[in-house]
Amino acid sequence: MATLDLSNDFNCSKEKLYSAWTEPEQLKQWWKPLGKQLVEVVNDLVEGGSVSYRFNDDSLLIDGNYEQVTNQELLVYTWNWHIKAEPVNDASYKLTVNFKGDENNSSLSIRQDGFESEESIHPHQHGWEQGLDQLKQYLGNEESAPSDEDSETHQPPVTGYNETPEQAKVGGG
């Protein structure tokens, strides 16, 4: 059996990273494997608890059970893909996800066990790399997204010639 190992660093707290990975409403915002929209999440974060991800067109379901849950630091769970499309077969794996960091910086490492061969790792590696990029973008956008209040009070500076709609009509626009 072959194993896939990946890791990534994030410019946010470990708690924020863990929440983005585990909270259903946050997961729905950033995780889109195979371009699919996540619509239903079950995430019972206790040993023996269920994990389930259902996507918008019902062509993909991922489910499993938590084997180990350690205080926002470690998640170990089964990871079973159920794909309706042919010729892709359903597949079962084990994920080990480690969260490290402090209030400002964090890292996430993923180990996926259960591959039949080294070649079968490649599409999963590509998928995880995309997913981690989506997560990084989500966490970055979340930190820098202006609130409604900010957008009303901090207008961009006026530069150059700004015509009013009436001036544009007069000018032939």
Side-chain angles (χ1 to χ4, degrees), residues 146-164:
S147 67
D148 290 338
E149 182 179 299
D150 288 343
S151 62
E152 290 175 13
T153 57
H154 293 93
Q155 296 295 324
V158 176
T159 58
Y161 180 70
N162 289 331
E163 34 185 37
T164 65

Side-chain angles (χ1 to χ4, degrees), residues 68-163:
Q68 189 174 352
V69 177
T70 308
N71 196 26
Q72 295 188 352
E73 292 181 3
L74 176 68
L75 299 173
V76 179
Y77 48 107
T78 55
W79 184 252
N80 308 309
W81 282 67
H82 307 282
I83 303 171
K84 291 183 182 178
E86 290 295 329
V88 179
N89 296 323
D90 292 353
S92 298
Y93 304 97
K94 182 184 282 192
L95 282 186
T96 303
V97 184
N98 285 287
F99 301 85
K100 295 182 180 172
D102 54 30
E103 299 82 35
N104 300 311
N105 297 292
S106 55
S107 67
L108 174 74
S109 62
I110 301 167
R111 166 172 245 151
Q112 185 173 348
D113 293 302
F115 294 99
E116 292 180 13
S117 67
E118 290 294 325
E119 294 78 34
S120 62
I121 290 176
H122 298 297
H124 291 265
Q125 181 169 354
H126 178 70
W128 280 118
E129 288 169 352
Q130 280 186 322
L132 292 176
D133 286 346
Q134 291 166 346
L135 176 57
K136 189 173 271 195
Q137 184 178 19
Y138 168 74
L139 290 169
N141 288 343
E142 187 177 71
E143 289 176 346
S144 63
S147 67
D148 290 338
E149 182 179 299
D150 288 343
S151 62
E152 290 175 13
T153 57
H154 293 93
Q155 296 295 324
V158 176
T159 58
Y161 180 70
N162 289 331
E163 34 185 37

